[in-house]
Amino acid sequence: MMKRCTKAILYKDNLKYNLEQIKKAAGENTKICVAVKADSYGHNAILTSKLAEEMGIEYLAVATVDEGIELRKNGIGANILILSLCTPEEYDELFEYRITPMIFSFEVIDLLKKAACNCGVKDFPVFLAIDSGMGRVGCYPEEAGEEAKKIVEGGFLKLEGMCTHFAVSDSLQENNVSYTQKQYESFCKAVENVEKAGISSGIKSCCNSAAFLNNKNMHFDMVRPGIITYGYYPDEITEDYLKSVNNNFNIKPVMAFETQVVAIKAFKKGQSVSYGRTWVCEKDTKIAILPVGYADGLLRRFSPGLEVTIRGKKYPVRGRICMDQCMVDIGIDNDEVCLWDKVLIFGPEESGAKTTAENLAKIGNTISYEVLTSISKRVERIIL
């Protein structure tokens, strides 16, 4: 068991609350596919998957075959959908562990059918990926009918569903709103082409977190919430914006990232702190040293700007964040901060943190997704 003081605390009740809000917003007739890829955005995929399954959620989404296998080996029985592409070397494991791939292109369809035949598999479920404008994986809408026919020929595969992914549904800029609408219409055309080919389109899914919240007319049969599961809103689709359009959807951050003060040193005016001498004391002060750095996920670009919370007060990180340590300015006459005090880097309100992953994202010119998934494996996850 790890005993390191740098750890990530996962508030299970907040995770459950978020899933309840998602279920409520989706309604009884819309399936939910919770994104648990990248270890649930750093939040423990086994925890999220078991809780989702207990709550009646039917689908989980991963990015790799190995992620799906890990779920199966931990007793997860829900449908598992891979949102990224896999290689022929992994096909046998798809069949063995009942993991549903997204596929497109005649070449890949033929390879997967051949693998299914060799393994004695019939009617193996797959999703047809549609590129409606993301510019990533998927066939174009005009190709969907022929590819669907190719999938079902021979009876080795069955078309369980179709999906696409929106590129800018988290933006409120007029041109991006229009682009999302065009993507939706393109996906609808792909569905129409499959149905015209005499093939059932199955479960249709196009909504990520942003579209789920802001485009209820696009929900189709299944939505795929990701970042909102873990308590953060997608870019411009903020809580304040949702309230302005009479949508009271509410979520709570799940993770708190914390460490401890392991040393306190007095610094004189003119002394520098950390690599590159990017910060020099303007006056005498004290510096608290924290055993957390960019190898833990506290990205180097968070300084200057990051303030951590100690005993309910915020203190600035000084100098460059190192691989394993960072330094905090606590002031010369501060007797409140003591050796071994807990330090909160970010977290939900109940953790005592005064900073969120979204705050860090703004400092680092990135998104909360990256902040959360950057918390490394050497940071122990503690479930409350």
Side-chain angles (χ1 to χ4, degrees), residues 301-330:
R301 61 182 179 271
F302 291 156
S303 181
L306 171 61
E307 294 181 314
V308 301
T309 306
I310 306 174
R311 297 196 180 201
K313 293 184 179 180
K314 294 169 73 172
Y315 296 94
V317 170
R318 298 300 195 193
R320 286 179 177 161
I321 294 170
C322 308
M323 184 181 292
D324 313 298
Q325 300 176 78
C326 68
M327 283 60 71
V328 173
D329 187 356
I330 61 173

PDB file of all heavy atoms in Angstrom, residues 301-330:
ATOM      1  N   ARG A 301       3.541  24.280 -16.574  1.00  0.00           N
ATOM      2  CA  ARG A 301       2.988  25.558 -17.015  1.00  0.00           C
ATOM      3  C   ARG A 301       1.956  26.146 -16.047  1.00  0.00           C
ATOM      4  O   ARG A 301       1.416  27.210 -16.301  1.00  0.00           O
ATOM      5  CB  ARG A 301       2.379  25.424 -18.404  1.00  0.00           C
ATOM      6  CG  ARG A 301       1.225  24.437 -18.534  1.00  0.00           C
ATOM      7  CD  ARG A 301       0.773  24.386 -19.983  1.00  0.00           C
ATOM      8  NE  ARG A 301      -0.310  23.448 -20.226  1.00  0.00           N
ATOM      9  CZ  ARG A 301      -0.146  22.179 -20.538  1.00  0.00           C
ATOM     10  NH1 ARG A 301       1.082  21.668 -20.627  1.00  0.00           N
ATOM     11  NH2 ARG A 301      -1.181  21.390 -20.766  1.00  0.00           N
ATOM     12  N   PHE A 302       1.662  25.464 -14.946  1.00  0.00           N
ATOM     13  CA  PHE A 302       0.733  26.020 -13.956  1.00  0.00           C
ATOM     14  C   PHE A 302       1.377  27.115 -13.104  1.00  0.00           C
ATOM     15  O   PHE A 302       0.694  27.760 -12.308  1.00  0.00           O
ATOM     16  CB  PHE A 302       0.194  24.925 -13.046  1.00  0.00           C
ATOM     17  CG  PHE A 302      -0.748  23.955 -13.732  1.00  0.00           C
ATOM     18  CD1 PHE A 302      -0.928  22.680 -13.234  1.00  0.00           C
ATOM     19  CD2 PHE A 302      -1.436  24.318 -14.863  1.00  0.00           C
ATOM     20  CE1 PHE A 302      -1.791  21.785 -13.842  1.00  0.00           C
ATOM     21  CE2 PHE A 302      -2.295  23.439 -15.490  1.00  0.00           C
ATOM     22  CZ  PHE A 302      -2.474  22.164 -14.981  1.00  0.00           C
ATOM     23  N   SER A 303       2.672  27.280 -13.241  1.00  0.00           N
ATOM     24  CA  SER A 303       3.353  28.353 -12.508  1.00  0.00           C
ATOM     25  C   SER A 303       4.077  29.255 -13.500  1.00  0.00           C
ATOM     26  O   SER A 303       4.753  28.755 -14.402  1.00  0.00           O
ATOM     27  CB  SER A 303       4.358  27.764 -11.518  1.00  0.00           C
ATOM     28  OG  SER A 303       5.001  28.779 -10.786  1.00  0.00           O
ATOM     29  N   PRO A 304       3.911  30.579 -13.383  1.00  0.00           N
ATOM     30  CA  PRO A 304       3.184  31.281 -12.318  1.00  0.00           C
ATOM     31  C   PRO A 304       1.671  31.243 -12.513  1.00  0.00           C
ATOM     32  O   PRO A 304       1.193  31.043 -13.625  1.00  0.00           O
ATOM     33  CB  PRO A 304       3.712  32.706 -12.445  1.00  0.00           C
ATOM     34  CG  PRO A 304       4.034  32.848 -13.904  1.00  0.00           C
ATOM     35  CD  PRO A 304       4.552  31.514 -14.335  1.00  0.00           C
ATOM     36  N   GLY A 305       0.969  31.418 -11.424  1.00  0.00           N
ATOM     37  CA  GLY A 305      -0.486  31.502 -11.448  1.00  0.00           C
ATOM     38  C   GLY A 305      -1.174  30.605 -10.448  1.00  0.00           C
ATOM     39  O   GLY A 305      -2.189  30.978  -9.859  1.00  0.00           O
ATOM     40  N   LEU A 306      -0.621  29.403 -10.240  1.00  0.00           N
ATOM     41  CA  LEU A 306      -1.262  28.446  -9.339  1.00  0.00           C
ATOM     42  C   LEU A 306      -1.168  28.906  -7.890  1.00  0.00           C
ATOM     43  O   LEU A 306      -0.107  29.310  -7.415  1.00  0.00           O
ATOM     44  CB  LEU A 306      -0.605  27.073  -9.485  1.00  0.00           C
ATOM     45  CG  LEU A 306      -1.003  26.009  -8.460  1.00  0.00           C
ATOM     46  CD1 LEU A 306      -2.499  25.711  -8.523  1.00  0.00           C
ATOM     47  CD2 LEU A 306      -0.197  24.731  -8.681  1.00  0.00           C
ATOM     48  N   GLU A 307      -2.307  28.806  -7.192  1.00  0.00           N
ATOM     49  CA  GLU A 307      -2.355  29.019  -5.753  1.00  0.00           C
ATOM     50  C   GLU A 307      -2.942  27.780  -5.098  1.00  0.00           C
ATOM     51  O   GLU A 307      -3.990  27.289  -5.523  1.00  0.00           O
ATOM     52  CB  GLU A 307      -3.210  30.247  -5.407  1.00  0.00           C
ATOM     53  CG  GLU A 307      -2.615  31.557  -5.900  1.00  0.00           C
ATOM     54  CD  GLU A 307      -3.464  32.750  -5.511  1.00  0.00           C
ATOM     55  OE1 GLU A 307      -4.701  32.677  -5.683  1.00  0.00           O
ATOM     56  OE2 GLU A 307      -2.894  33.757  -5.051  1.00  0.00           O
ATOM     57  N   VAL A 308      -2.276  27.261  -4.090  1.00  0.00           N
ATOM     58  CA  VAL A 308      -2.760  26.088  -3.359  1.00  0.00           C
ATOM     59  C   VAL A 308      -3.455  26.547  -2.078  1.00  0.00           C
ATOM     60  O   VAL A 308      -3.304  27.698  -1.657  1.00  0.00           O
ATOM     61  CB  VAL A 308      -1.594  25.125  -3.037  1.00  0.00           C
ATOM     62  CG1 VAL A 308      -0.921  24.661  -4.320  1.00  0.00           C
ATOM     63  CG2 VAL A 308      -0.581  25.774  -2.090  1.00  0.00           C
ATOM     64  N   THR A 309      -4.198  25.642  -1.469  1.00  0.00           N
ATOM     65  CA  THR A 309      -4.948  25.964  -0.256  1.00  0.00           C
ATOM     66  C   THR A 309      -4.331  25.250   0.950  1.00  0.00           C
ATOM     67  O   THR A 309      -4.181  24.022   0.937  1.00  0.00           O
ATOM     68  CB  THR A 309      -6.424  25.549  -0.393  1.00  0.00           C
ATOM     69  OG1 THR A 309      -6.977  26.133  -1.573  1.00  0.00           O
ATOM     70  CG2 THR A 309      -7.231  25.990   0.822  1.00  0.00           C
ATOM     71  N   ILE A 310      -3.989  26.025   1.961  1.00  0.00           N
ATOM     72  CA  ILE A 310      -3.477  25.475   3.222  1.00  0.00           C
ATOM     73  C   ILE A 310      -4.269  26.115   4.358  1.00  0.00           C
ATOM     74  O   ILE A 310      -4.309  27.338   4.477  1.00  0.00           O
ATOM     75  CB  ILE A 310      -1.973  25.776   3.410  1.00  0.00           C
ATOM     76  CG1 ILE A 310      -1.163  25.307   2.196  1.00  0.00           C
ATOM     77  CG2 ILE A 310      -1.459  25.116   4.691  1.00  0.00           C
ATOM     78  CD1 ILE A 310       0.305  25.701   2.247  1.00  0.00           C
ATOM     79  N   ARG A 311      -4.930  25.285   5.156  1.00  0.00           N
ATOM     80  CA  ARG A 311      -5.744  25.770   6.282  1.00  0.00           C
ATOM     81  C   ARG A 311      -6.721  26.871   5.849  1.00  0.00           C
ATOM     82  O   ARG A 311      -6.895  27.874   6.537  1.00  0.00           O
ATOM     83  CB  ARG A 311      -4.854  26.258   7.416  1.00  0.00           C
ATOM     84  CG  ARG A 311      -3.980  25.172   8.021  1.00  0.00           C
ATOM     85  CD  ARG A 311      -3.411  25.586   9.358  1.00  0.00           C
ATOM     86  NE  ARG A 311      -2.584  24.540   9.934  1.00  0.00           N
ATOM     87  CZ  ARG A 311      -2.285  24.434  11.226  1.00  0.00           C
ATOM     88  NH1 ARG A 311      -2.762  25.320  12.077  1.00  0.00           N
ATOM     89  NH2 ARG A 311      -1.509  23.465  11.651  1.00  0.00           N
ATOM     90  N   GLY A 312      -7.325  26.655   4.711  1.00  0.00           N
ATOM     91  CA  GLY A 312      -8.378  27.553   4.244  1.00  0.00           C
ATOM     92  C   GLY A 312      -7.910  28.815   3.556  1.00  0.00           C
ATOM     93  O   GLY A 312      -8.736  29.634   3.141  1.00  0.00           O
ATOM     94  N   LYS A 313      -6.594  28.982   3.405  1.00  0.00           N
ATOM     95  CA  LYS A 313      -6.065  30.180   2.737  1.00  0.00           C
ATOM     96  C   LYS A 313      -5.265  29.784   1.500  1.00  0.00           C
ATOM     97  O   LYS A 313      -4.670  28.700   1.457  1.00  0.00           O
ATOM     98  CB  LYS A 313      -5.188  30.989   3.700  1.00  0.00           C
ATOM     99  CG  LYS A 313      -5.954  31.608   4.860  1.00  0.00           C
ATOM    100  CD  LYS A 313      -5.034  32.474   5.718  1.00  0.00           C
ATOM    101  CE  LYS A 313      -5.795  33.123   6.878  1.00  0.00           C
ATOM    102  NZ  LYS A 313      -4.913  33.968   7.720  1.00  0.00           N
ATOM    103  N   LYS A 314      -5.230  30.685   0.522  1.00  0.00           N
ATOM    104  CA  LYS A 314      -4.527  30.419  -0.725  1.00  0.00           C
ATOM    105  C   LYS A 314      -3.115  31.008  -0.693  1.00  0.00           C
ATOM    106  O   LYS A 314      -2.916  32.135  -0.223  1.00  0.00           O
ATOM    107  CB  LYS A 314      -5.320  31.005  -1.905  1.00  0.00           C
ATOM    108  CG  LYS A 314      -6.663  30.318  -2.112  1.00  0.00           C
ATOM    109  CD  LYS A 314      -7.543  31.075  -3.087  1.00  0.00           C
ATOM    110  CE  LYS A 314      -7.067  30.927  -4.503  1.00  0.00           C
ATOM    111  NZ  LYS A 314      -8.036  31.513  -5.464  1.00  0.00           N
ATOM    112  N   TYR A 315      -2.169  30.212  -1.222  1.00  0.00           N
ATOM    113  CA  TYR A 315      -0.777  30.630  -1.265  1.00  0.00           C
ATOM    114  C   TYR A 315      -0.214  30.341  -2.658  1.00  0.00           C
ATOM    115  O   TYR A 315      -0.481  29.285  -3.236  1.00  0.00           O
ATOM    116  CB  TYR A 315       0.050  29.882  -0.213  1.00  0.00           C
ATOM    117  CG  TYR A 315      -0.375  30.180   1.205  1.00  0.00           C
ATOM    118  CD1 TYR A 315      -1.288  29.362   1.862  1.00  0.00           C
ATOM    119  CD2 TYR A 315       0.123  31.286   1.888  1.00  0.00           C
ATOM    120  CE1 TYR A 315      -1.694  29.635   3.166  1.00  0.00           C
ATOM    121  CE2 TYR A 315      -0.266  31.566   3.197  1.00  0.00           C
ATOM    122  CZ  TYR A 315      -1.176  30.736   3.824  1.00  0.00           C
ATOM    123  OH  TYR A 315      -1.574  31.015   5.113  1.00  0.00           O
ATOM    124  N   PRO A 316       0.598  31.272  -3.192  1.00  0.00           N
ATOM    125  CA  PRO A 316       1.091  31.103  -4.562  1.00  0.00           C
ATOM    126  C   PRO A 316       2.311  30.189  -4.680  1.00  0.00           C
ATOM    127  O   PRO A 316       3.213  30.218  -3.839  1.00  0.00           O
ATOM    128  CB  PRO A 316       1.472  32.537  -4.950  1.00  0.00           C
ATOM    129  CG  PRO A 316       1.865  33.180  -3.656  1.00  0.00           C
ATOM    130  CD  PRO A 316       0.961  32.575  -2.611  1.00  0.00           C
ATOM    131  N   VAL A 317       2.307  29.385  -5.732  1.00  0.00           N
ATOM    132  CA  VAL A 317       3.500  28.608  -6.083  1.00  0.00           C
ATOM    133  C   VAL A 317       4.518  29.569  -6.685  1.00  0.00           C
ATOM    134  O   VAL A 317       4.172  30.427  -7.502  1.00  0.00           O
ATOM    135  CB  VAL A 317       3.143  27.487  -7.085  1.00  0.00           C
ATOM    136  CG1 VAL A 317       4.408  26.836  -7.639  1.00  0.00           C
ATOM    137  CG2 VAL A 317       2.256  26.437  -6.418  1.00  0.00           C
ATOM    138  N   ARG A 318       5.775  29.423  -6.273  1.00  0.00           N
ATOM    139  CA  ARG A 318       6.837  30.315  -6.755  1.00  0.00           C
ATOM    140  C   ARG A 318       7.872  29.514  -7.555  1.00  0.00           C
ATOM    141  O   ARG A 318       8.237  28.394  -7.181  1.00  0.00           O
ATOM    142  CB  ARG A 318       7.538  30.990  -5.584  1.00  0.00           C
ATOM    143  CG  ARG A 318       6.661  31.879  -4.737  1.00  0.00           C
ATOM    144  CD  ARG A 318       6.034  33.022  -5.537  1.00  0.00           C
ATOM    145  NE  ARG A 318       5.486  34.054  -4.654  1.00  0.00           N
ATOM    146  CZ  ARG A 318       4.681  35.023  -5.054  1.00  0.00           C
ATOM    147  NH1 ARG A 318       4.322  35.081  -6.339  1.00  0.00           N
ATOM    148  NH2 ARG A 318       4.242  35.921  -4.193  1.00  0.00           N
ATOM    149  N   GLY A 319       8.349  30.129  -8.614  1.00  0.00           N
ATOM    150  CA  GLY A 319       9.358  29.485  -9.443  1.00  0.00           C
ATOM    151  C   GLY A 319       8.764  28.347 -10.248  1.00  0.00           C
ATOM    152  O   GLY A 319       7.558  28.084 -10.224  1.00  0.00           O
ATOM    153  N   ARG A 320       9.630  27.679 -10.971  1.00  0.00           N
ATOM    154  CA  ARG A 320       9.167  26.593 -11.833  1.00  0.00           C
ATOM    155  C   ARG A 320       8.810  25.347 -11.026  1.00  0.00           C
ATOM    156  O   ARG A 320       9.508  24.971 -10.084  1.00  0.00           O
ATOM    157  CB  ARG A 320      10.248  26.249 -12.855  1.00  0.00           C
ATOM    158  CG  ARG A 320      10.378  27.299 -13.952  1.00  0.00           C
ATOM    159  CD  ARG A 320      11.472  26.933 -14.938  1.00  0.00           C
ATOM    160  NE  ARG A 320      11.513  27.922 -16.016  1.00  0.00           N
ATOM    161  CZ  ARG A 320      12.547  28.111 -16.812  1.00  0.00           C
ATOM    162  NH1 ARG A 320      13.646  27.385 -16.650  1.00  0.00           N
ATOM    163  NH2 ARG A 320      12.496  29.018 -17.774  1.00  0.00           N
ATOM    164  N   ILE A 321       7.706  24.724 -11.411  1.00  0.00           N
ATOM    165  CA  ILE A 321       7.334  23.434 -10.832  1.00  0.00           C
ATOM    166  C   ILE A 321       8.330  22.393 -11.333  1.00  0.00           C
ATOM    167  O   ILE A 321       8.613  22.296 -12.527  1.00  0.00           O
ATOM    168  CB  ILE A 321       5.892  23.062 -11.230  1.00  0.00           C
ATOM    169  CG1 ILE A 321       4.907  24.053 -10.602  1.00  0.00           C
ATOM    170  CG2 ILE A 321       5.570  21.627 -10.828  1.00  0.00           C
ATOM    171  CD1 ILE A 321       3.488  23.930 -11.115  1.00  0.00           C
ATOM    172  N   CYS A 322       8.885  21.612 -10.412  1.00  0.00           N
ATOM    173  CA  CYS A 322       9.879  20.592 -10.752  1.00  0.00           C
ATOM    174  C   CYS A 322       9.193  19.255 -11.022  1.00  0.00           C
ATOM    175  O   CYS A 322       7.979  19.116 -10.878  1.00  0.00           O
ATOM    176  CB  CYS A 322      10.878  20.444  -9.611  1.00  0.00           C
ATOM    177  SG  CYS A 322      11.613  22.000  -9.062  1.00  0.00           S
ATOM    178  N   MET A 323       9.982  18.260 -11.383  1.00  0.00           N
ATOM    179  CA  MET A 323       9.413  16.950 -11.669  1.00  0.00           C
ATOM    180  C   MET A 323       8.704  16.367 -10.445  1.00  0.00           C
ATOM    181  O   MET A 323       7.625  15.761 -10.570  1.00  0.00           O
ATOM    182  CB  MET A 323      10.499  15.982 -12.136  1.00  0.00           C
ATOM    183  CG  MET A 323       9.966  14.611 -12.542  1.00  0.00           C
ATOM    184  SD  MET A 323      11.261  13.460 -13.052  1.00  0.00           S
ATOM    185  CE  MET A 323      11.819  14.220 -14.568  1.00  0.00           C
ATOM    186  N   ASP A 324       9.277  16.561  -9.265  1.00  0.00           N
ATOM    187  CA  ASP A 324       8.756  15.908  -8.062  1.00  0.00           C
ATOM    188  C   ASP A 324       8.427  16.857  -6.922  1.00  0.00           C
ATOM    189  O   ASP A 324       7.965  16.412  -5.873  1.00  0.00           O
ATOM    190  CB  ASP A 324       9.786  14.888  -7.545  1.00  0.00           C
ATOM    191  CG  ASP A 324      10.321  14.009  -8.656  1.00  0.00           C
ATOM    192  OD1 ASP A 324       9.520  13.292  -9.262  1.00  0.00           O
ATOM    193  OD2 ASP A 324      11.534  14.072  -8.931  1.00  0.00           O
ATOM    194  N   GLN A 325       8.693  18.151  -7.097  1.00  0.00           N
ATOM    195  CA  GLN A 325       8.497  19.114  -6.018  1.00  0.00           C
ATOM    196  C   GLN A 325       8.042  20.455  -6.570  1.00  0.00           C
ATOM    197  O   GLN A 325       8.239  20.764  -7.738  1.00  0.00           O
ATOM    198  CB  GLN A 325       9.811  19.324  -5.246  1.00  0.00           C
ATOM    199  CG  GLN A 325      10.371  18.072  -4.602  1.00  0.00           C
ATOM    200  CD  GLN A 325      11.711  18.324  -3.953  1.00  0.00           C
ATOM    201  OE1 GLN A 325      11.788  18.871  -2.862  1.00  0.00           O
ATOM    202  NE2 GLN A 325      12.783  17.934  -4.618  1.00  0.00           N
ATOM    203  N   CYS A 326       7.447  21.236  -5.690  1.00  0.00           N
ATOM    204  CA  CYS A 326       7.186  22.641  -6.004  1.00  0.00           C
ATOM    205  C   CYS A 326       7.274  23.435  -4.709  1.00  0.00           C
ATOM    206  O   CYS A 326       7.254  22.873  -3.614  1.00  0.00           O
ATOM    207  CB  CYS A 326       5.840  22.836  -6.692  1.00  0.00           C
ATOM    208  SG  CYS A 326       4.396  22.524  -5.664  1.00  0.00           S
ATOM    209  N   MET A 327       7.377  24.748  -4.851  1.00  0.00           N
ATOM    210  CA  MET A 327       7.610  25.629  -3.712  1.00  0.00           C
ATOM    211  C   MET A 327       6.520  26.681  -3.605  1.00  0.00           C
ATOM    212  O   MET A 327       6.075  27.237  -4.616  1.00  0.00           O
ATOM    213  CB  MET A 327       8.974  26.316  -3.849  1.00  0.00           C
ATOM    214  CG  MET A 327      10.156  25.423  -3.506  1.00  0.00           C
ATOM    215  SD  MET A 327      10.331  23.924  -4.529  1.00  0.00           S
ATOM    216  CE  MET A 327      10.850  24.619  -6.091  1.00  0.00           C
ATOM    217  N   VAL A 328       6.094  26.965  -2.372  1.00  0.00           N
ATOM    218  CA  VAL A 328       4.974  27.868  -2.124  1.00  0.00           C
ATOM    219  C   VAL A 328       5.413  28.971  -1.179  1.00  0.00           C
ATOM    220  O   VAL A 328       6.044  28.718  -0.145  1.00  0.00           O
ATOM    221  CB  VAL A 328       3.779  27.087  -1.515  1.00  0.00           C
ATOM    222  CG1 VAL A 328       2.670  28.031  -1.103  1.00  0.00           C
ATOM    223  CG2 VAL A 328       3.267  26.046  -2.505  1.00  0.00           C
ATOM    224  N   ASP A 329       5.053  30.192  -1.512  1.00  0.00           N
ATOM    225  CA  ASP A 329       5.396  31.371  -0.697  1.00  0.00           C
ATOM    226  C   ASP A 329       4.342  31.546   0.392  1.00  0.00           C
ATOM    227  O   ASP A 329       3.174  31.822   0.103  1.00  0.00           O
ATOM    228  CB  ASP A 329       5.433  32.595  -1.610  1.00  0.00           C
ATOM    229  CG  ASP A 329       5.945  33.842  -0.905  1.00  0.00           C
ATOM    230  OD1 ASP A 329       6.200  33.777   0.308  1.00  0.00           O
ATOM    231  OD2 ASP A 329       6.073  34.883  -1.582  1.00  0.00           O
ATOM    232  N   ILE A 330       4.747  31.377   1.659  1.00  0.00           N
ATOM    233  CA  ILE A 330       3.789  31.498   2.757  1.00  0.00           C
ATOM    234  C   ILE A 330       3.967  32.794   3.562  1.00  0.00           C
ATOM    235  O   ILE A 330       3.190  33.066   4.479  1.00  0.00           O
ATOM    236  CB  ILE A 330       3.852  30.284   3.704  1.00  0.00           C
ATOM    237  CG1 ILE A 330       5.229  30.154   4.351  1.00  0.00           C
ATOM    238  CG2 ILE A 330       3.468  29.006   2.954  1.00  0.00           C
ATOM    239  CD1 ILE A 330       5.305  29.083   5.432  1.00  0.00           C
TER     240      ILE A 330
END
